[in-house]
Amino acid sequence: MTGSYSFPDSYTMVTEDAQGRPLEGVANETWPCWRFLALMYLRRVRANGSVFDPTPETVANIAAVASWLTGGGRPWLLMSGNCGCGKTTMLFALQRYFAEVLRYGFVRDALGITSLMPGLRVVNAKDIIEALDKRDGGDAFGRLCSEPLLGLDDVGVEGAEQQRYGNVVTPLSDLLESRYERRLLTVMTTNLSAEMVGRRYGERTADRLSEMAKVVYFRNGSFR
């Protein structure tokens, strides 16, 4: 951190910059988005009953995600890191970010988000298996495939392959393939590296991630 800066603790602090310049490591063009996302992150940490520690790594993580939000580039985000390093906290901060943007248009992003879209739906990767098991003709899995904004937490905890009626299915790979074809915004967290994800789910999935996803590595230690 630089100087005596404190994270924004209210919407007023987001819109009124006391220092008049971004923090070191935060680009000018992403500064408004960074401040708003930082507020969402701080609130999520407090909602979890945790004490917020604004480390330089946390500043860098928020800056990387803000850059993805404002860059107008790849529609997928893969957040990778060890257990307890803030990936899931960031995922739910993004859920709140999208809710506020969709409701108020508070901060504009460059990912083609419109006010007609629902918010970011967040599910655990294991929920993909449960969606397949529902006797609803595939409707639950189909909704995951077509959700305009989808967050997948803990990619890698579910089995890469599943047996269904004597057939081998690949739920996550199939889900990502469907979302790839639709070019739908997808946010993922995982304890695996991007290379490990590719090896686990196969060459096609690896290619999709390489083309579609911005990868952010959370290099800080565990907050737990």
Side-chain angles (χ1 to χ4, degrees):
M1 303 292 291
T2 58
S4 58
Y5 179 83
S6 59
F7 265 47
D9 200 18
S10 67
Y11 287 112
T12 300
M13 287 186 68
V14 169
T15 56
E16 296 178 3
D17 176 19
Q19 286 195 336
R21 61 181 177 83
L23 288 174
E24 181 180 350
V26 181
N28 287 321
E29 59 270 20
T30 64
W31 180 236
C33 179
W34 185 94
R35 289 176 62 74
F36 191 42
L37 185 59
L39 174 62
M40 300 298 103
Y41 188 89
L42 173 62
R43 289 186 170 180
R44 182 65 192 183
V45 169
R46 289 178 174 173
N48 292 340
S50 301
V51 176
F52 181 68
D53 181 15
T55 65
E57 291 82 7
T58 299
V59 171
N61 293 339
I62 298 174
V65 175
S67 175
W68 171 72
L69 284 167
T70 58
R74 301 180 180 190
W76 293 2
L77 175 67
L78 178 66
M79 296 183 285
S80 171
N82 294 326
C83 295
C85 65
K87 305 182 304 295
T88 298
T89 298
M90 181 66 76
L91 177 60
F92 282 101
L94 277 169
Q95 184 182 49
R96 188 60 187 170
Y97 170 91
F98 283 121
E100 297 293 331
V101 168
L102 291 168
R103 185 177 182 184
Y104 300 112
F106 193 81
V107 176
R108 295 181 181 274
D109 59 61
L111 291 170
I113 308 303
T114 74
S115 60
L116 300 178
M117 291 181 176
L120 178 69
R121 180 183 176 187
V122 174
V123 299
N124 188 277
K126 290 181 179 179
D127 295 335
I128 304 170
I129 311 302
E130 294 182 7
L132 277 178
D133 288 338
K134 288 187 176 180
R135 299 179 181 275
D136 59 0
D139 287 351
F141 186 75
R143 285 193 292 273
L144 291 177
C145 291
S146 60
E147 196 76 44
L149 310 174
L150 182 65
L152 300 173
D153 194 26
D154 274 344
V155 167
V157 297
E158 85 301 338
E161 295 183 348
Q162 300 285 318
Q163 288 283 343
R164 290 295 182 277
Y165 308 107
N167 299 315
V168 176
V169 296
T170 53
L172 184 83
S173 295
D174 294 344
L175 173 62
L176 292 181
E177 183 66 22
S178 179
R179 297 187 66 79
Y180 169 82
E181 293 172 355
R182 294 176 168 90
R183 295 298 194 270
L184 295 175
L185 186 145
T186 309
V187 182
M188 294 166 275
T189 74
T190 182
N191 295 337
L192 307 174
S193 67
E195 293 75 16
M196 292 170 66
V197 170
R199 289 197 298 269
R200 179 181 178 86
Y201 297 103
E203 184 177 349
R204 173 169 291 198
T205 300
D207 287 344
R208 299 310 188 217
L209 287 171
S210 178
E211 177 185 349
M212 298 286 282
K214 176 183 175 71
V215 181
V216 177
Y217 290 103
F218 283 52
R219 304 188 186 280
N220 46 284
S222 175
F223 293 119
R224 295 174 183 170

